[in-house]
Amino acid sequence: MKIFETITETQLYLQKNKNDKNKIGFVPTMGALHQGHLNLVKQAKSENDIVVVSIFVNPIQFNNEEDLLKYPRTLQKDADLLQKVGCYIIFAPNEKEIYPEPDTTIYNFGLLDKVMEGKFRPGHFNGVAIVVKKLFDIVMPDNAYFGEKDYQQLQIIKSLVKQMNIPVNIIPCPIVREVDGLAMSSRNMRLTDEERKVAPFIYQILLQAKGKMNKLSPKEITQWVNRQIEIQPLLRMEYFEVVNATTLLPISNWDDCEHAIGCIAVFLGNIRLIDNINLI
Ligand code: AMP
């Protein structure tokens, strides 16, 4: 396995693979890897000749200084995990390598980045799009793997690829959960023991909400979920929305679309967690 810190050495190595017509799979991450990330790597391995994993905590997608400062950075441990799953290349640049000067690109995602995460984290998806576009330009992958855990991000990346005509297949991968149902996240390691005990409740509520679909409308389910979160002293609701899985706009009736999902963001202490569930 190779760990590259510069764009030049990464591209030099990948160029040879491209000349040999090797298929390149790419998994962009911010590190502090867990089984959710490793699943993306495993899928990438099974569908490509070579897998590149980037590890870069992208400052411009954070809109909370404390979240950025406290974001876990565990490069050596990450490298060990990636070695075990047989990843070939880690690209772990520093900030100057990616942003030799500030990138002020403004993307237009229509309503996709105005709702849910976009509403509560202004500028977040523009920061994600800037870094992913740069990483795609560097790695030039055939296939890139993204988790459905960050469902809205996945839709933004699909839109980015379409509007910038980037020749890459975007492959969505299912959410990986802890045995108690909590969606795996690098932020979970910052939960206190008490918070960690409460955290699985988020997915339990989503599952129960799904079970109520034949009795309740999307609006009633939303109200029900809000009440369930409110009665848990440690949880603070940011949003729960039942949306069309393609447009991400809220639906009023179950037959408004073919595929609807429920998306949630809650604070547990200072830690903000997101999750989602397929409804129809
Ligand atoms: P991050 O390091 O949080 O930026 O995540 C890197 C990639 O891993 C993104 O495509 C995420 O959606 C994906 N990912 C993170 N957690 C999970 C999970 N629990 N299940 C599936 N994919 C995940």
Side-chain angles (χ1 to χ4, degrees):
M1 190 176 68
K2 307 223 175 292
I3 305 182
F4 295 132
E5 290 174 3
T6 67
I7 295 171
T8 313
E9 54 187 345
T10 306
Q11 286 186 321
L12 214 66
Y13 185 87
L14 290 177
Q15 192 53 52
K16 188 184 171 317
N17 277 280
K18 288 200 176 93
N19 292 344
D20 293 345
K21 302 255 180 306
N22 282 340
K23 257 207 180 135
I24 297 174
F26 179 42
V27 181
T29 81
M30 297 205 297
L33 302 183
H34 49 66
Q35 205 53 49
H37 299 109
L38 297 181
N39 248 36
L40 306 190
V41 178
K42 282 181 199 154
Q43 185 161 343
K45 265 201 76 171
S46 71
E47 296 173 357
N48 299 275
D49 300 302
I50 181 158
V51 176
V52 181
V53 174
S54 64
I55 296 181
F56 178 63
V57 180
N58 177 33
I60 67 165
Q61 73 183 69
F62 284 79
N63 36 13
N64 176 327
E65 188 70 14
E66 191 193 348
D67 194 26
L68 172 60
L69 287 174
K70 295 206 171 147
Y71 201 86
R73 290 159 172 88
T74 57
L75 184 59
Q76 191 48 55
K77 194 169 156 234
D78 293 345
D80 293 346
L81 286 170
L82 288 171
Q83 172 107 48
K84 277 192 200 126
V85 290
C87 166
Y88 305 96
I89 294 178
I90 300 176
F91 174 49
N94 66 21
E95 204 179 317
K96 268 273 164 282
E97 188 70 11
I98 296 294
Y99 300 116
E101 51 202 55
D103 189 322
T104 52
T105 312
I106 305 279
Y107 288 100
N108 181 355
F109 295 111
L111 292 177
L112 274 187
D113 67 343
K114 310 287 181 298
V115 296
M116 299 194 290
E117 291 299 283
K119 197 154 63 185
F120 289 95
R121 304 184 67 188
H124 166 67
F125 286 123
N126 202 64
V128 170
I130 286 175
V131 79
V132 170
K133 169 74 169 70
K134 275 176 177 283
L135 292 169
F136 281 170
D137 287 346
I138 296 164
V139 176
M140 291 194 284
D142 296 280
N143 300 307
Y145 296 78
F146 290 85
E148 288 177 339
K149 153 105 182 344
D150 300 277
Y151 190 88
Q152 192 169 3
Q153 169 174 284
L154 179 60
Q155 301 307 312
I156 295 279
I157 301 298
K158 284 183 183 167
S159 169
L160 172 75
V161 162
K162 206 166 167 187
Q163 60 180 276
M164 303 306 291
N165 299 307
I166 306 171
V168 59
N169 300 313
I170 300 302
I171 319 278
C173 302
I175 302 177
V176 178
R177 299 181 178 282
E178 303 286 356
V179 271
D180 59 15
L182 175 65
M184 289 191 182
S185 163
S186 307
R187 289 185 176 87
N188 292 352
M189 65 174 79
R190 291 179 50 209
L191 297 171
T192 63
D193 289 349
E194 195 188 1
E195 289 163 352
R196 179 62 188 81
K197 277 187 204 137
V198 173
F201 195 63
I202 300 166
Y203 184 53
Q204 283 164 22
I205 293 176
L206 293 183
L207 280 176
Q208 286 176 40
K210 188 178 168 93
K212 292 179 184 297
M213 277 177 55
N214 45 10
K215 284 192 228 104
L216 302 181
S217 69
K219 189 174 169 198
E220 288 165 335
I221 292 231
T222 306
Q223 288 165 344
W224 182 84
V225 170
N226 271 287
R227 267 200 311 280
Q228 300 310 303
I229 295 289
E230 263 167 36
I231 56 179
Q232 275 291 329
L234 292 180
L235 292 176
R236 186 159 48 85
M237 178 67 106
E238 192 148 80
Y239 66 80
F240 171 78
E241 291 198 24
V242 176
V243 299
N244 175 319
T246 309
T247 63
L248 303 185
L249 297 177
I251 59 166
S252 312
N253 300 298
W254 294 117
D255 49 14
D256 280 356
C257 62
E258 278 175 16
H259 181 194
I261 59 170
C263 298
I264 194 166
V266 289
F267 276 97
L268 189 40
N270 286 329
I271 311 301
R272 187 175 182 280
L273 299 175
I274 59 170
D275 200 347
N276 64 78
I277 192 164
N278 271 317
L279 296 173
I280 42 171

